[in-house]
Amino acid sequence: MALRTLMARKSLASAAIRQGYGGLGLLQLRSLQTFTLPDLPYDYGALEPTISGEIMQLHHQKHHQTYVTNFNKALEQLHDAMAKGDASTVVKLQSAIKFNGGGHVNHSIFWNNLAPVQEGGGEPPKRSLGWAIDSNFGSLEALVQKMNAEGAALQGSGWVWLGVDKELKKLVVETTANQDPLVTRGAHLVPLLGIDVWEHAYYLQYKNVRPDYLKNIWKVMNWKYASDVYEKECPTH
């Protein structure tokens, strides 16, 4: 699927999630569309030995696909409920839309946050994002330690994020529970990097030792993607 198509669909999903009931008007005005599982920009085994091909295939084909399937189902039910003026069902569907839509949005970002070592995975950030990290956190090493600590301490399932506050032009580290997108922590937050700390992201390889997974994932982190997003949101003059 073309990247621009994915981004357009992500924007729609994000708007609906961010705006809550206000986003329903946007969905109502548009024809019902079907979201699809995006292709990975690399082979399933390309991140080995950091993340096994088995994990990547299951994570992408099974877990992400389930979020997409259930998101489409919930949106179809929402479309029908709104056509019937069934306000009670519209309200009931919000949790399913947030969870599954968030799962789709988060994972679509996550795949782009990773890259094989031979394609630049693990290379430290440069340009303006590198300077911003030093300014906000002291060093890249300090940022990694902070994200690893918060990711390890997160109870249950969720995500740890590096984001930028578009209004304050400041980098932030946040965690979200379950499949909540970063925008649920603040309307002006844009994700640069998200690390999935659900067990399905690492258990087959790292068992219950989440800190080892968090330590190693930086070896395949795609800082170029994060830098491109940062420069788009916070252009220098």
Side-chain angles (χ1 to χ4, degrees):
M1 181 171 61
L3 179 59
R4 61 178 178 274
T5 302
L6 170 61
M7 293 304 294
R9 289 173 172 173
K10 282 164 59 181
S11 297
L12 174 60
S14 298
I17 294 165
R18 179 173 64 251
Q19 297 175 27
Y21 305 133
L24 300 182
L26 174 63
L27 291 170
Q28 187 180 35
L29 291 173
R30 296 176 64 97
S31 60
L32 184 64
Q33 63 174 306
T34 300
F35 291 82
T36 57
L37 183 70
D39 294 332
L40 293 189
Y42 39 77
D43 293 335
Y44 288 127
L47 303 181
E48 292 183 343
T50 301
I51 304 177
S52 73
E54 182 182 16
I55 286 178
M56 291 299 296
Q57 185 171 4
L58 286 170
H59 199 169
H60 180 250
Q61 290 186 356
K62 301 298 183 181
H63 292 280
H64 190 172
Q65 180 63 67
T66 297
Y67 296 126
V68 171
T69 299
N70 290 336
F71 188 32
N72 286 328
K73 180 180 178 181
L75 289 177
E76 183 178 1
Q77 291 173 338
L78 175 65
H79 184 270
D80 292 343
M82 294 186 69
K84 297 174 183 176
D86 184 353
S88 178
T89 297
V90 168
V91 172
K92 290 178 182 178
L93 286 167
Q94 294 309 301
S95 61
I97 290 172
K98 180 181 179 183
F99 181 78
N100 293 292
H104 175 49
V105 170
N106 291 348
H107 284 86
S108 297
I109 296 168
F110 183 59
W111 308 135
N112 286 308
N113 284 160
L114 306 174
V117 172
Q118 62 270 27
E119 296 178 16
E123 292 183 5
K126 302 172 183 177
R127 310 193 308 256
S128 56
L129 178 58
W131 302 330
I133 288 172
D134 289 343
S135 176
N136 284 265
F137 302 104
S139 68
L140 176 60
E141 291 74 19
L143 168 63
V144 168
Q145 289 179 6
K146 180 176 178 63
M147 290 188 68
N148 285 356
E150 296 205 14
L154 184 65
Q155 294 184 351
S157 301
W159 295 73
V160 57
W161 300 95
L162 171 65
V164 60
D165 187 313
K166 292 192 298 183
E167 285 200 337
L168 300 178
K169 301 294 190 286
K170 178 181 179 181
L171 298 178
V172 297
V173 171
E174 296 282 356
T175 59
T176 58
N178 300 313
Q179 291 299 346
D180 289 358
L182 178 59
V183 73
T184 61
R185 303 289 288 177
H188 304 290
L189 298 181
V190 175
L192 305 178
L193 291 178
I195 302 177
D196 188 347
V197 294
W198 281 66
E199 284 191 342
H200 64 235
Y202 61 88
Y203 194 86
L204 288 177
Q205 185 171 353
Y206 294 95
K207 307 308 179 190
N208 63 332
V209 190
R210 186 191 289 178
D212 285 353
Y213 159 71
L214 290 167
K215 177 183 177 181
N216 286 322
I217 198 171
W218 298 99
K219 297 175 182 177
V220 291
M221 196 64 75
N222 186 2
W223 283 107
K224 183 181 183 303
Y225 173 85
S227 294
D228 290 345
V229 175
Y230 178 75
E231 290 176 8
K232 177 183 177 182
E233 298 295 341
C234 300
T236 56
H237 300 285

